[in-house]
Amino acid sequence: MNQVPPYEFYTQKRWGNWLERAKESGFQIKESEEEAGKESAVFVNMVDDVILACLKVTARFEKGMLSREKALEILAEIRDIVLAEVEPISEDIDLMIESVQTSLMGALVAFESYIMGDYDEEANIEELIKLAIEAEASDNLELALDYTAQCGALVLKGKSLPEEVMADLPYGIVAEWLDGIDSISAAMVGSDSYKEFEEGDEEDII
């Protein structure tokens, strides 16, 4: 019987390609909104691509195709790739990549919390967001990240982020983390293709 190569959810090469596209975009913050919007699309797509890979991990975990340990191991590998320090490109692009990585941090802790079952299904997302903002205001970022992770786990469970609260978020790191959670929500609504398994994937039960 032929050995099926392990399914690759995300790779260093893939991230490197996104960084190259970001570099080629020549993005500048000061340009007109329309031009900036076109060039900034690459950063939105970078986030979405990573989130889609993570959603594929959770879908396979839910189907019993990946053990909890293996799913967490894959998420840790993705985290190591996308949160690693990036060589400076330009001031504006560096700022955007930093923002991308902060958003992804929020998303990744959400996936980890969901897979570990480390959250209360009955918890109120609005309340968790308020607690996260309060923790940030008290400089307790570890606690703020924990509350954000629980929000994201609930979104992965099918709950929605409260629009009014999201619209009134104070600028800060919690807002950027929640941006990553919002991207998870959008990806889940946008398409469920991540739940489809390619031929051979079933062989990769670990």
Side-chain angles (χ1 to χ4, degrees):
M1 180 180 167
N2 291 336
Q3 182 67 39
V4 177
Y7 184 84
E8 286 192 306
F9 290 90
Y10 202 79
T11 60
Q12 186 73 54
K13 185 179 178 185
R14 198 173 179 109
W15 179 246
N17 287 341
W18 280 114
L19 292 176
E20 195 55 42
R21 283 191 218 175
K23 190 176 183 177
E24 287 166 4
S25 75
F27 176 80
Q28 287 185 305
I29 289 168
K30 292 169 189 149
E31 287 181 1
S32 75
E33 208 168 297
E34 192 182 326
E35 284 177 9
K38 205 190 298 179
E39 288 179 357
S40 65
V42 66
F43 302 105
V44 175
N45 294 336
M46 275 172 98
V47 172
D48 288 348
D49 193 43
V50 176
I51 283 171
L52 203 57
C54 294
L55 281 169
K56 287 180 178 179
V57 177
T58 56
R60 282 155 180 73
F61 166 68
E62 286 164 353
K63 287 265 187 186
M65 294 165 64
L66 289 173
S67 65
R68 175 173 279 116
E69 290 72 23
K70 186 62 184 173
L72 289 169
E73 186 188 308
I74 293 165
L75 288 176
E77 286 168 8
I78 294 173
R79 177 201 277 256
D80 287 346
I81 291 169
V82 303
L83 297 186
E85 199 174 331
V86 174
E87 287 284 317
I89 298 169
S90 75
E91 197 175 337
D92 290 354
I93 292 174
D94 294 348
L95 274 173
M96 292 299 283
I97 288 171
E98 196 178 313
S99 178
V100 161
Q101 290 181 311
T102 308
S103 293
L104 286 173
M105 180 73 185
L108 284 161
V109 293
F111 282 108
E112 287 166 2
S113 177
Y114 177 72
I115 284 175
M116 287 192 290
D118 193 14
Y119 64 100
D120 176 6
E121 284 186 39
E122 303 305 314
N124 181 301
I125 287 193
E126 200 167 321
E127 193 56 40
L128 287 170
I129 291 173
K130 284 176 185 169
L131 289 168
I133 290 164
E134 284 169 17
E136 180 184 359
S138 307
D139 283 334
N140 191 340
L141 293 184
E142 198 175 320
L143 187 60
L145 188 61
D146 184 48
Y147 286 131
T148 305
Q150 291 176 56
C151 285
L154 289 169
V155 165
L156 282 160
K157 196 71 184 166
K159 292 197 177 184
S160 302
L161 287 168
E163 283 179 33
E164 311 78 33
V165 178
M166 290 294 288
D168 293 334
L169 283 176
Y171 178 75
I173 197 160
V174 166
E176 289 209 67
W177 287 336
L178 285 167
D179 201 34
I181 309 294
D182 199 28
S183 296
I184 294 176
S185 184
M188 289 171 74
V189 171
S191 164
D192 59 2
S193 61
Y194 61 87
K195 293 179 181 174
E196 292 165 11
F197 307 108
E198 293 167 22
E199 198 178 334
D201 287 4
E202 288 82 353
E203 305 283 340
D204 195 27
I205 301 172
I206 299 171

